Amino acid sequence: MYISSEDERLLREGGYLAKALETVIKVGEAVKADRLLDVDTVHVSGVSYLTIGDAGLEYLRDISSGGARFRVFTTVNPAGVEYGNMNLPISEAFIRRQMEIIDYLRKMGASLWLTCTPYEFIKPQPGSIHAWGESNAIAYINSVNDAYTEKLPGPFTIMVAIAGKVPRFGLYVEENRVPKVIVRVDARLNPVKAGLLGRVIAGKLRGEVPFIDYDGWDRQLLKAFLASYATYSPVPLAIIKGVNPNWRKYLSMVDKTDLITIDDGELRYEQPSEYDALFIGCPHANLDDVMAIVKALEKHGYRRLTRPLIVSTSRFIKSLLSPELINKLQEANVYLITDTCPMVSPILKGLGIRSVATPSSKAIFYLPRLVNVNAMPCSIEECIEHELNER
Ligand code: F3S
């Protein structure tokens, strides 16, 4: 692998930068990269105490107190708790350890966005280089912005943030981004069906990049589709007609294609009625998601839902809502939680929630596996209607 004279000089200087660079080079050699690329941004995943435990905490303590610092703009994924909130139904020991982890990341220079949707706030240029560790966000900027990132493991994103470089391999190479299968979607999507579509397509392919032929995307559908697709597929990129700024160029590079069609029959689901709570916000809810809930409640005179609706979102989105609106939502049994993700937090357990209905295919995959909560598909608007019409 080619190493520049500047990188050779940094390696000779020693310290954490040299160690991180050495790790990045070793990984690059293992994946047969030809050279290193300068990175514009890093997004670190795996920051919850629930998933990284004491080993992860001690590692971050060691490197941050040893002087490791991030060389590029770095954001972080949701943690296991709301930052600074000690009044959660979670043990104090867990909250303290989680806060320690966050503080070590801050000390190294991370911007504590604590959200899995950094793409709501960063608009990467086509062809720009990033090193992100959160699969839904990776699939989003690869597919929607045609920015370049591979699916990188959380601890490796920390090394990349310190080194400021990533090996050029996989989806960092243009020819690996060319679609191999055309997927025609013959259905009308809503967020639940968009999520199911991601799972169905990933299940039909063997890791090839698909070209998706469907008109009628909006931001919510893209988010739901790509989060699910990246959960079930090893390749976090789909070239989407009319969405990827270079979709015509990619299409012209296709030499031999298979064609598959997905129709409505493959995207059926039944609205559930037995669940402890409704959940939305995997990936983190944006303003449109919150406003859709407000609208659905307004339609029924803001009556209180029988079962709680949990909304996980970023602190930025919450800061756009007035305290009056947040109170009004709480009175209607709707709760916003920020900085965290119920899949990597003991919060649902602490609230006594054992089953949820959610539009998110990604949450349906992870909730039973990570926190032992049963999850079933539902359209939030339909569930709200159903709850309020029941009475
Ligand atoms: Fe985000 Fe957690 Fe879902 S990190 S994408 S809310 S699993």
Side-chain angles (χ1 to χ4, degrees):
M1 188 170 74
Y2 168 76
I3 312 287
S4 71
S5 51
E6 168 63 6
D7 288 343
E8 275 173 357
R9 187 187 64 75
L10 292 173
L11 286 169
R12 281 195 300 275
E13 273 183 8
Y16 270 104
L17 173 51
K19 273 192 204 154
L21 198 52
E22 219 174 272
T23 308
V24 171
I25 291 170
K26 277 196 185 129
V27 170
E29 283 166 352
V31 296
K32 300 198 179 352
D34 56 351
R35 60 188 163 93
L36 300 181
L37 298 168
D38 289 328
V39 162
D40 282 355
T41 68
V42 173
H43 182 72
V44 175
S45 65
V47 299
S48 166
Y49 178 65
L50 194 75
T51 53
I52 66 172
D54 288 322
L57 182 149
E58 279 158 26
Y59 172 69
L60 292 172
R61 180 193 293 140
D62 279 357
I63 64 169
S64 66
S65 55
R69 294 295 177 267
F70 297 152
R71 275 178 103 196
V72 289
F73 180 70
T74 300
T75 53
V76 295
N77 231 21
V81 299
E82 226 172 55
Y83 188 72
N85 186 351
M86 299 302 286
N87 299 315
L88 296 165
I90 295 176
S91 81
E92 202 185 311
F94 184 98
I95 298 177
R96 292 210 177 285
R97 287 187 190 123
Q98 180 62 75
M99 302 275 279
E100 250 191 88
I101 291 171
I102 296 172
D103 288 338
Y104 297 140
L105 289 162
R106 183 220 305 271
K107 195 168 170 190
M108 287 192 282
S111 295
L112 301 183
W113 289 16
L114 299 165
T115 180
C116 50
T117 56
Y119 51 82
E120 298 280 2
F121 316 102
I122 298 177
K123 308 280 173 239
Q125 290 300 307
S128 56
I129 306 295
H130 306 269
W132 287 16
E134 163 52 45
S135 68
N136 98 84
I138 295 164
Y140 195 93
I141 61 165
N142 270 331
S143 309
V144 175
N145 304 97
D146 204 33
Y148 284 23
T149 175
E150 252 297 344
K151 202 171 188 168
L152 303 175
F156 187 60
T157 56
I158 290 178
M159 291 296 111
V160 173
I162 298 168
K165 311 254 177 186
V166 73
R168 183 177 178 271
F169 75 107
L171 295 178
Y172 290 114
V173 180
E174 189 186 61
E175 66 201 49
N176 295 336
R177 302 173 68 90
V178 177
K180 297 273 186 290
V181 180
I182 294 183
V183 180
R184 201 156 281 154
V185 182
D186 191 9
R188 237 336 87 211
L189 297 181
N190 64 17
V192 186
K193 290 188 177 186
L196 294 173
L197 178 71
R199 193 182 71 191
V200 170
I201 294 177
K204 285 183 190 277
L205 304 185
R206 283 181 299 272
E208 301 98 333
V209 175
F211 178 88
I212 313 288
D213 185 356
Y214 173 75
D215 300 316
W217 292 106
D218 62 24
R219 210 171 163 77
Q220 310 307 95
L221 297 178
L222 286 167
K223 229 174 120 175
F225 166 65
L226 291 165
S228 167
Y229 179 67
T231 299
Y232 292 96
S233 166
V235 180
L237 166 67
I239 304 299
I240 302 173
K241 182 180 148 197
V243 171
N244 185 302
N246 292 315
W247 69 271
R248 284 197 174 83
K249 183 179 90 178
Y250 284 118
L251 198 56
S252 73
M253 290 163 82
V254 172
D255 54 357
K256 170 181 125 359
T257 47
D258 291 331
L259 173 69
I260 58 175
T261 302
I262 313 270
D263 63 27
D264 211 45
E266 293 179 77
L267 307 176
R268 287 226 177 91
Y269 64 96
E270 284 192 8
Q271 278 293 117
S273 52
E274 294 300 316
Y275 48 85
D276 295 337
L278 295 167
F279 165 62
I280 187 168
C282 174
H284 269 177
N286 60 19
L287 199 55
D288 288 343
D289 293 317
V290 178
M291 289 338 260
I293 294 167
V294 170
K295 245 188 176 163
L297 289 169
E298 267 171 359
K299 209 169 141 190
H300 297 273
Y302 256 101
R303 278 191 288 142
R304 186 176 168 82
L305 299 172
T306 351
R307 288 167 282 198
L309 165 52
I310 312 283
V311 184
S312 72
T313 186
S314 65
R315 54 178 61 203
F316 301 126
I317 297 299
K318 190 174 176 186
S319 73
L320 299 174
L321 310 175
S322 69
E324 290 75 23
L325 179 58
I326 293 169
N327 283 341
K328 223 169 153 189
L329 286 168
Q330 273 179 18
E331 279 160 23
N333 216 3
V334 178
Y335 304 93
L336 267 62
I337 53 172
T338 64
D339 308 333
T340 186
C341 146
M343 276 53 73
V344 296
S345 166
I347 193 155
L348 292 184
K349 200 171 160 202
L351 293 168
I353 293 169
R354 291 268 161 264
S355 60
V356 298
T358 175
S360 167
S361 284
K362 180 167 180 176
I364 291 167
F365 180 83
Y366 280 115
L367 279 170
R369 288 170 173 83
L370 294 180
V371 288
N372 201 21
V373 168
N374 191 21
M376 51 213 96
C378 87
S379 142
I380 288 292
E381 285 91 341
E382 282 170 31
C383 275
I384 291 177
E385 293 268 329
H386 175 74
E387 289 233 341
L388 294 172
N389 287 333
E390 248 182 359
R391 288 179 281 149

PDB file of all heavy atoms in Angstrom, residues 43 45 77-79 115-117 119 134-137 227 231 279 281-285 312 340-344 360 362-363 366-367 370, ligand 1:
ATOM      1  N   HIS A  43     -18.048   9.803  12.000  1.00  0.00           N
ATOM      2  CA  HIS A  43     -19.175   9.639  12.918  1.00  0.00           C
ATOM      3  C   HIS A  43     -18.946   8.341  13.694  1.00  0.00           C
ATOM      4  O   HIS A  43     -18.912   7.260  13.103  1.00  0.00           O
ATOM      5  CB  HIS A  43     -20.502   9.599  12.142  1.00  0.00           C
ATOM      6  CG  HIS A  43     -21.692   9.488  13.047  1.00  0.00           C
ATOM      7  ND1 HIS A  43     -22.136  10.528  13.829  1.00  0.00           N
ATOM      8  CD2 HIS A  43     -22.503   8.440  13.335  1.00  0.00           C
ATOM      9  CE1 HIS A  43     -23.187  10.146  14.530  1.00  0.00           C
ATOM     10  NE2 HIS A  43     -23.419   8.870  14.255  1.00  0.00           N
ATOM     11  N   SER A  45     -19.733   5.314  16.168  1.00  0.00           N
ATOM     12  CA  SER A  45     -20.856   4.531  16.724  1.00  0.00           C
ATOM     13  C   SER A  45     -20.319   3.700  17.880  1.00  0.00           C
ATOM     14  O   SER A  45     -19.114   3.669  18.137  1.00  0.00           O
ATOM     15  CB  SER A  45     -21.447   3.630  15.652  1.00  0.00           C
ATOM     16  OG  SER A  45     -20.478   2.675  15.266  1.00  0.00           O
ATOM     17  N   ASN A  77     -22.752   8.906  17.871  1.00  0.00           N
ATOM     18  CA  ASN A  77     -24.055   8.250  17.844  1.00  0.00           C
ATOM     19  C   ASN A  77     -24.777   8.405  19.194  1.00  0.00           C
ATOM     20  O   ASN A  77     -24.160   8.811  20.171  1.00  0.00           O
ATOM     21  CB  ASN A  77     -23.801   6.747  17.568  1.00  0.00           C
ATOM     22  CG  ASN A  77     -24.637   6.223  16.431  1.00  0.00           C
ATOM     23  OD1 ASN A  77     -25.115   6.984  15.588  1.00  0.00           O
ATOM     24  ND2 ASN A  77     -24.814   4.915  16.390  1.00  0.00           N
ATOM     25  N   PRO A  78     -26.053   8.018  19.246  1.00  0.00           N
ATOM     26  CA  PRO A  78     -26.763   8.067  20.528  1.00  0.00           C
ATOM     27  C   PRO A  78     -26.093   7.182  21.576  1.00  0.00           C
ATOM     28  O   PRO A  78     -25.479   6.166  21.259  1.00  0.00           O
ATOM     29  CB  PRO A  78     -28.147   7.499  20.182  1.00  0.00           C
ATOM     30  CG  PRO A  78     -28.299   7.681  18.722  1.00  0.00           C
ATOM     31  CD  PRO A  78     -26.927   7.580  18.148  1.00  0.00           C
ATOM     32  N   ALA A  79     -26.248   7.604  22.833  1.00  0.00           N
ATOM     33  CA  ALA A  79     -25.683   6.859  23.959  1.00  0.00           C
ATOM     34  C   ALA A  79     -26.804   6.076  24.655  1.00  0.00           C
ATOM     35  O   ALA A  79     -27.923   6.005  24.159  1.00  0.00           O
ATOM     36  CB  ALA A  79     -25.036   7.852  24.907  1.00  0.00           C
ATOM     37  N   THR A 115     -26.580  11.671  18.017  1.00  0.00           N
ATOM     38  CA  THR A 115     -27.690  11.299  17.147  1.00  0.00           C
ATOM     39  C   THR A 115     -27.206  10.368  16.048  1.00  0.00           C
ATOM     40  O   THR A 115     -26.036  10.426  15.643  1.00  0.00           O
ATOM     41  CB  THR A 115     -28.369  12.543  16.524  1.00  0.00           C
ATOM     42  OG1 THR A 115     -29.454  12.105  15.688  1.00  0.00           O
ATOM     43  CG2 THR A 115     -27.412  13.375  15.674  1.00  0.00           C
ATOM     44  N   CYS A 116     -28.116   9.516  15.572  1.00  0.00           N
ATOM     45  CA  CYS A 116     -27.767   8.594  14.483  1.00  0.00           C
ATOM     46  C   CYS A 116     -28.176   9.182  13.134  1.00  0.00           C
ATOM     47  O   CYS A 116     -28.118   8.492  12.115  1.00  0.00           O
ATOM     48  CB  CYS A 116     -28.441   7.252  14.707  1.00  0.00           C
ATOM     49  SG  CYS A 116     -30.202   7.404  15.040  1.00  0.00           S
ATOM     50  N   THR A 117     -28.630  10.442  13.133  1.00  0.00           N
ATOM     51  CA  THR A 117     -28.999  11.080  11.861  1.00  0.00           C
ATOM     52  C   THR A 117     -28.173  12.350  11.640  1.00  0.00           C
ATOM     53  O   THR A 117     -28.745  13.430  11.437  1.00  0.00           O
ATOM     54  CB  THR A 117     -30.509  11.415  11.825  1.00  0.00           C
ATOM     55  OG1 THR A 117     -30.808  12.241  12.965  1.00  0.00           O
ATOM     56  CG2 THR A 117     -31.377  10.176  11.851  1.00  0.00           C
ATOM     57  N   TYR A 119     -26.868  13.241   9.132  1.00  0.00           N
ATOM     58  CA  TYR A 119     -27.173  13.746   7.780  1.00  0.00           C
ATOM     59  C   TYR A 119     -28.329  14.743   7.778  1.00  0.00           C
ATOM     60  O   TYR A 119     -28.593  15.382   6.763  1.00  0.00           O
ATOM     61  CB  TYR A 119     -27.472  12.583   6.820  1.00  0.00           C
ATOM     62  CG  TYR A 119     -28.500  11.596   7.342  1.00  0.00           C
ATOM     63  CD1 TYR A 119     -29.862  11.845   7.240  1.00  0.00           C
ATOM     64  CD2 TYR A 119     -28.097  10.410   7.937  1.00  0.00           C
ATOM     65  CE1 TYR A 119     -30.789  10.950   7.720  1.00  0.00           C
ATOM     66  CE2 TYR A 119     -29.014   9.494   8.415  1.00  0.00           C
ATOM     67  CZ  TYR A 119     -30.367   9.765   8.311  1.00  0.00           C
ATOM     68  OH  TYR A 119     -31.284   8.877   8.800  1.00  0.00           O
ATOM     69  N   GLU A 134     -22.283   4.398  11.743  1.00  0.00           N
ATOM     70  CA  GLU A 134     -23.704   4.088  11.960  1.00  0.00           C
ATOM     71  C   GLU A 134     -24.340   3.707  10.628  1.00  0.00           C
ATOM     72  O   GLU A 134     -24.397   4.519   9.705  1.00  0.00           O
ATOM     73  CB  GLU A 134     -24.386   5.315  12.595  1.00  0.00           C
ATOM     74  CG  GLU A 134     -25.893   5.334  12.532  1.00  0.00           C
ATOM     75  CD  GLU A 134     -26.556   4.081  13.060  1.00  0.00           C
ATOM     76  OE1 GLU A 134     -26.157   3.588  14.126  1.00  0.00           O
ATOM     77  OE2 GLU A 134     -27.461   3.559  12.373  1.00  0.00           O
ATOM     78  N   SER A 135     -24.852   2.468  10.560  1.00  0.00           N
ATOM     79  CA  SER A 135     -25.238   1.927   9.251  1.00  0.00           C
ATOM     80  C   SER A 135     -26.319   2.737   8.531  1.00  0.00           C
ATOM     81  O   SER A 135     -26.255   2.927   7.325  1.00  0.00           O
ATOM     82  CB  SER A 135     -25.652   0.462   9.386  1.00  0.00           C
ATOM     83  OG  SER A 135     -26.849   0.371  10.117  1.00  0.00           O
ATOM     84  N   ASN A 136     -27.349   3.227   9.275  1.00  0.00           N
ATOM     85  CA  ASN A 136     -28.415   3.947   8.556  1.00  0.00           C
ATOM     86  C   ASN A 136     -27.862   5.237   7.956  1.00  0.00           C
ATOM     87  O   ASN A 136     -28.227   5.623   6.842  1.00  0.00           O
ATOM     88  CB  ASN A 136     -29.602   4.225   9.496  1.00  0.00           C
ATOM     89  CG  ASN A 136     -29.593   5.620  10.086  1.00  0.00           C
ATOM     90  OD1 ASN A 136     -30.052   6.575   9.461  1.00  0.00           O
ATOM     91  ND2 ASN A 136     -29.020   5.773  11.267  1.00  0.00           N
ATOM     92  N   ALA A 137     -26.942   5.878   8.697  1.00  0.00           N
ATOM     93  CA  ALA A 137     -26.384   7.150   8.231  1.00  0.00           C
ATOM     94  C   ALA A 137     -25.430   6.915   7.056  1.00  0.00           C
ATOM     95  O   ALA A 137     -25.378   7.711   6.110  1.00  0.00           O
ATOM     96  CB  ALA A 137     -25.663   7.843   9.388  1.00  0.00           C
ATOM     97  N   ALA A 227     -32.430   2.769   6.244  1.00  0.00           N
ATOM     98  CA  ALA A 227     -32.088   2.235   7.575  1.00  0.00           C
ATOM     99  C   ALA A 227     -32.322   0.727   7.597  1.00  0.00           C
ATOM    100  O   ALA A 227     -31.515  -0.049   8.112  1.00  0.00           O
ATOM    101  CB  ALA A 227     -32.921   2.915   8.652  1.00  0.00           C
ATOM    102  N   THR A 231     -29.572  -2.497   7.546  1.00  0.00           N
ATOM    103  CA  THR A 231     -29.625  -3.484   8.641  1.00  0.00           C
ATOM    104  C   THR A 231     -29.480  -4.891   8.084  1.00  0.00           C
ATOM    105  O   THR A 231     -28.814  -5.742   8.664  1.00  0.00           O
ATOM    106  CB  THR A 231     -30.977  -3.365   9.393  1.00  0.00           C
ATOM    107  OG1 THR A 231     -31.077  -2.056   9.935  1.00  0.00           O
ATOM    108  CG2 THR A 231     -31.104  -4.391  10.511  1.00  0.00           C
ATOM    109  N   PHE A 279     -43.687   3.384  19.419  1.00  0.00           N
ATOM    110  CA  PHE A 279     -42.326   3.946  19.388  1.00  0.00           C
ATOM    111  C   PHE A 279     -42.010   4.445  17.985  1.00  0.00           C
ATOM    112  O   PHE A 279     -42.250   3.761  16.991  1.00  0.00           O
ATOM    113  CB  PHE A 279     -41.298   2.878  19.801  1.00  0.00           C
ATOM    114  CG  PHE A 279     -39.895   3.276  19.440  1.00  0.00           C
ATOM    115  CD1 PHE A 279     -39.316   4.407  20.001  1.00  0.00           C
ATOM    116  CD2 PHE A 279     -39.155   2.548  18.516  1.00  0.00           C
ATOM    117  CE1 PHE A 279     -38.034   4.809  19.644  1.00  0.00           C
ATOM    118  CE2 PHE A 279     -37.869   2.929  18.153  1.00  0.00           C
ATOM    119  CZ  PHE A 279     -37.307   4.071  18.722  1.00  0.00           C
ATOM    120  N   GLY A 281     -38.727   6.744  15.921  1.00  0.00           N
ATOM    121  CA  GLY A 281     -37.437   7.405  16.112  1.00  0.00           C
ATOM    122  C   GLY A 281     -36.258   6.486  15.945  1.00  0.00           C
ATOM    123  O   GLY A 281     -35.216   6.671  16.554  1.00  0.00           O
ATOM    124  N   CYS A 282     -36.394   5.490  15.079  1.00  0.00           N
ATOM    125  CA  CYS A 282     -35.250   4.646  14.699  1.00  0.00           C
ATOM    126  C   CYS A 282     -35.246   4.605  13.170  1.00  0.00           C
ATOM    127  O   CYS A 282     -36.068   3.908  12.595  1.00  0.00           O
ATOM    128  CB  CYS A 282     -35.369   3.245  15.263  1.00  0.00           C
ATOM    129  SG  CYS A 282     -34.054   2.142  14.660  1.00  0.00           S
ATOM    130  N   PRO A 283     -34.365   5.385  12.527  1.00  0.00           N
ATOM    131  CA  PRO A 283     -33.435   6.388  13.026  1.00  0.00           C
ATOM    132  C   PRO A 283     -34.145   7.569  13.719  1.00  0.00           C
ATOM    133  O   PRO A 283     -35.367   7.751  13.537  1.00  0.00           O
ATOM    134  CB  PRO A 283     -32.728   6.873  11.764  1.00  0.00           C
ATOM    135  CG  PRO A 283     -33.039   5.880  10.698  1.00  0.00           C
ATOM    136  CD  PRO A 283     -34.333   5.263  11.053  1.00  0.00           C
ATOM    137  N   HIS A 284     -33.366   8.362  14.452  1.00  0.00           N
ATOM    138  CA  HIS A 284     -33.914   9.488  15.203  1.00  0.00           C
ATOM    139  C   HIS A 284     -34.946  10.285  14.399  1.00  0.00           C
ATOM    140  O   HIS A 284     -34.713  10.617  13.222  1.00  0.00           O
ATOM    141  CB  HIS A 284     -32.772  10.431  15.610  1.00  0.00           C
ATOM    142  CG  HIS A 284     -32.186  10.094  16.949  1.00  0.00           C
ATOM    143  ND1 HIS A 284     -31.118  10.771  17.484  1.00  0.00           N
ATOM    144  CD2 HIS A 284     -32.542   9.162  17.882  1.00  0.00           C
ATOM    145  CE1 HIS A 284     -30.848  10.259  18.681  1.00  0.00           C
ATOM    146  NE2 HIS A 284     -31.681   9.274  18.930  1.00  0.00           N
ATOM    147  N   ALA A 285     -36.054  10.614  15.069  1.00  0.00           N
ATOM    148  CA  ALA A 285     -37.132  11.359  14.405  1.00  0.00           C
ATOM    149  C   ALA A 285     -36.653  12.756  14.017  1.00  0.00           C
ATOM    150  O   ALA A 285     -35.880  13.380  14.743  1.00  0.00           O
ATOM    151  CB  ALA A 285     -38.312  11.467  15.363  1.00  0.00           C
ATOM    152  N   SER A 312     -37.872   8.954  19.957  1.00  0.00           N
ATOM    153  CA  SER A 312     -36.456   9.238  20.208  1.00  0.00           C
ATOM    154  C   SER A 312     -35.947  10.148  19.091  1.00  0.00           C
ATOM    155  O   SER A 312     -36.215   9.937  17.908  1.00  0.00           O
ATOM    156  CB  SER A 312     -35.623   7.963  20.363  1.00  0.00           C
ATOM    157  OG  SER A 312     -35.455   7.310  19.153  1.00  0.00           O
ATOM    158  N   THR A 340     -30.316   9.485  23.014  1.00  0.00           N
ATOM    159  CA  THR A 340     -30.244   8.053  23.265  1.00  0.00           C
ATOM    160  C   THR A 340     -31.062   7.283  22.247  1.00  0.00           C
ATOM    161  O   THR A 340     -31.706   7.865  21.376  1.00  0.00           O
ATOM    162  CB  THR A 340     -30.699   7.744  24.706  1.00  0.00           C
ATOM    163  OG1 THR A 340     -30.489   6.358  24.974  1.00  0.00           O
ATOM    164  CG2 THR A 340     -32.157   8.090  24.940  1.00  0.00           C
ATOM    165  N   CYS A 341     -30.991   5.981  22.367  1.00  0.00           N
ATOM    166  CA  CYS A 341     -31.680   5.104  21.430  1.00  0.00           C
ATOM    167  C   CYS A 341     -32.175   3.906  22.240  1.00  0.00           C
ATOM    168  O   CYS A 341     -31.375   3.281  22.944  1.00  0.00           O
ATOM    169  CB  CYS A 341     -30.656   4.690  20.372  1.00  0.00           C
ATOM    170  SG  CYS A 341     -30.848   3.049  19.713  1.00  0.00           S
ATOM    171  N   PRO A 342     -33.471   3.622  22.205  1.00  0.00           N
ATOM    172  CA  PRO A 342     -34.016   2.541  23.042  1.00  0.00           C
ATOM    173  C   PRO A 342     -33.413   1.169  22.741  1.00  0.00           C
ATOM    174  O   PRO A 342     -33.553   0.251  23.539  1.00  0.00           O
ATOM    175  CB  PRO A 342     -35.511   2.554  22.702  1.00  0.00           C
ATOM    176  CG  PRO A 342     -35.763   3.883  22.124  1.00  0.00           C
ATOM    177  CD  PRO A 342     -34.503   4.315  21.431  1.00  0.00           C
ATOM    178  N   MET A 343     -32.722   1.042  21.589  1.00  0.00           N
ATOM    179  CA  MET A 343     -32.104  -0.249  21.274  1.00  0.00           C
ATOM    180  C   MET A 343     -30.806  -0.443  22.056  1.00  0.00           C
ATOM    181  O   MET A 343     -30.344  -1.561  22.228  1.00  0.00           O
ATOM    182  CB  MET A 343     -31.790  -0.341  19.768  1.00  0.00           C
ATOM    183  CG  MET A 343     -32.960  -0.779  18.905  1.00  0.00           C
ATOM    184  SD  MET A 343     -34.464   0.186  19.109  1.00  0.00           S
ATOM    185  CE  MET A 343     -34.059   1.708  18.289  1.00  0.00           C
ATOM    186  N   VAL A 344     -30.179   0.653  22.489  1.00  0.00           N
ATOM    187  CA  VAL A 344     -28.907   0.533  23.223  1.00  0.00           C
ATOM    188  C   VAL A 344     -29.015   1.191  24.604  1.00  0.00           C
ATOM    189  O   VAL A 344     -28.035   1.688  25.146  1.00  0.00           O
ATOM    190  CB  VAL A 344     -27.719   1.138  22.422  1.00  0.00           C
ATOM    191  CG1 VAL A 344     -27.491   0.377  21.138  1.00  0.00           C
ATOM    192  CG2 VAL A 344     -27.909   2.628  22.139  1.00  0.00           C
ATOM    193  N   SER A 360     -40.554   1.252  12.332  1.00  0.00           N
ATOM    194  CA  SER A 360     -39.159   1.015  11.950  1.00  0.00           C
ATOM    195  C   SER A 360     -38.778  -0.461  11.849  1.00  0.00           C
ATOM    196  O   SER A 360     -38.785  -1.192  12.848  1.00  0.00           O
ATOM    197  CB  SER A 360     -38.240   1.695  12.978  1.00  0.00           C
ATOM    198  OG  SER A 360     -36.918   1.239  12.807  1.00  0.00           O
ATOM    199  N   LYS A 362     -35.817  -1.460  11.326  1.00  0.00           N
ATOM    200  CA  LYS A 362     -34.545  -1.618  12.037  1.00  0.00           C
ATOM    201  C   LYS A 362     -34.811  -1.870  13.526  1.00  0.00           C
ATOM    202  O   LYS A 362     -34.190  -2.736  14.142  1.00  0.00           O
ATOM    203  CB  LYS A 362     -33.665  -0.365  11.847  1.00  0.00           C
ATOM    204  CG  LYS A 362     -32.339  -0.487  12.577  1.00  0.00           C
ATOM    205  CD  LYS A 362     -31.335   0.569  12.180  1.00  0.00           C
ATOM    206  CE  LYS A 362     -30.029   0.365  12.954  1.00  0.00           C
ATOM    207  NZ  LYS A 362     -28.976   1.278  12.576  1.00  0.00           N
ATOM    208  N   ALA A 363     -35.754  -1.128  14.098  1.00  0.00           N
ATOM    209  CA  ALA A 363     -36.091  -1.336  15.516  1.00  0.00           C
ATOM    210  C   ALA A 363     -36.684  -2.737  15.712  1.00  0.00           C
ATOM    211  O   ALA A 363     -36.397  -3.396  16.715  1.00  0.00           O
ATOM    212  CB  ALA A 363     -37.069  -0.265  15.986  1.00  0.00           C
ATOM    213  N   TYR A 366     -33.732  -5.046  15.952  1.00  0.00           N
ATOM    214  CA  TYR A 366     -32.810  -4.953  17.098  1.00  0.00           C
ATOM    215  C   TYR A 366     -33.474  -5.030  18.480  1.00  0.00           C
ATOM    216  O   TYR A 366     -32.839  -5.489  19.433  1.00  0.00           O
ATOM    217  CB  TYR A 366     -31.983  -3.664  17.014  1.00  0.00           C
ATOM    218  CG  TYR A 366     -30.828  -3.793  16.042  1.00  0.00           C
ATOM    219  CD1 TYR A 366     -30.759  -3.036  14.884  1.00  0.00           C
ATOM    220  CD2 TYR A 366     -29.797  -4.705  16.279  1.00  0.00           C
ATOM    221  CE1 TYR A 366     -29.694  -3.167  13.985  1.00  0.00           C
ATOM    222  CE2 TYR A 366     -28.733  -4.844  15.390  1.00  0.00           C
ATOM    223  CZ  TYR A 366     -28.694  -4.066  14.245  1.00  0.00           C
ATOM    224  OH  TYR A 366     -27.651  -4.214  13.372  1.00  0.00           O
ATOM    225  N   LEU A 367     -34.703  -4.530  18.625  1.00  0.00           N
ATOM    226  CA  LEU A 367     -35.284  -4.484  19.983  1.00  0.00           C
ATOM    227  C   LEU A 367     -35.301  -5.846  20.677  1.00  0.00           C
ATOM    228  O   LEU A 367     -34.860  -5.959  21.824  1.00  0.00           O
ATOM    229  CB  LEU A 367     -36.685  -3.864  19.959  1.00  0.00           C
ATOM    230  CG  LEU A 367     -36.719  -2.334  19.933  1.00  0.00           C
ATOM    231  CD1 LEU A 367     -38.125  -1.816  19.675  1.00  0.00           C
ATOM    232  CD2 LEU A 367     -36.189  -1.743  21.244  1.00  0.00           C
ATOM    233  N   LEU A 370     -31.389  -6.928  21.294  1.00  0.00           N
ATOM    234  CA  LEU A 370     -30.506  -6.169  22.188  1.00  0.00           C
ATOM    235  C   LEU A 370     -31.103  -5.897  23.567  1.00  0.00           C
ATOM    236  O   LEU A 370     -30.375  -5.875  24.557  1.00  0.00           O
ATOM    237  CB  LEU A 370     -30.100  -4.840  21.526  1.00  0.00           C
ATOM    238  CG  LEU A 370     -29.222  -4.948  20.271  1.00  0.00           C
ATOM    239  CD1 LEU A 370     -28.903  -3.568  19.722  1.00  0.00           C
ATOM    240  CD2 LEU A 370     -27.912  -5.681  20.572  1.00  0.00           C
TER     241      LEU A 370
HETATM  242 FE1  F3S B   1     -30.501   5.159  15.602  1.00  0.00          FE
HETATM  243 FE2  F3S B   1     -30.613   3.409  17.503  1.00  0.00          FE
HETATM  244 FE3  F3S B   1     -32.043   3.083  15.368  1.00  0.00          FE
HETATM  245  S1  F3S B   1     -28.808   4.421  16.824  1.00  0.00           S
HETATM  246  S2  F3S B   1     -30.832   3.973  13.760  1.00  0.00           S
HETATM  247  S3  F3S B   1     -32.283   4.766  16.856  1.00  0.00           S
HETATM  248  S4  F3S B   1     -30.904   1.482  16.415  1.00  0.00           S
END
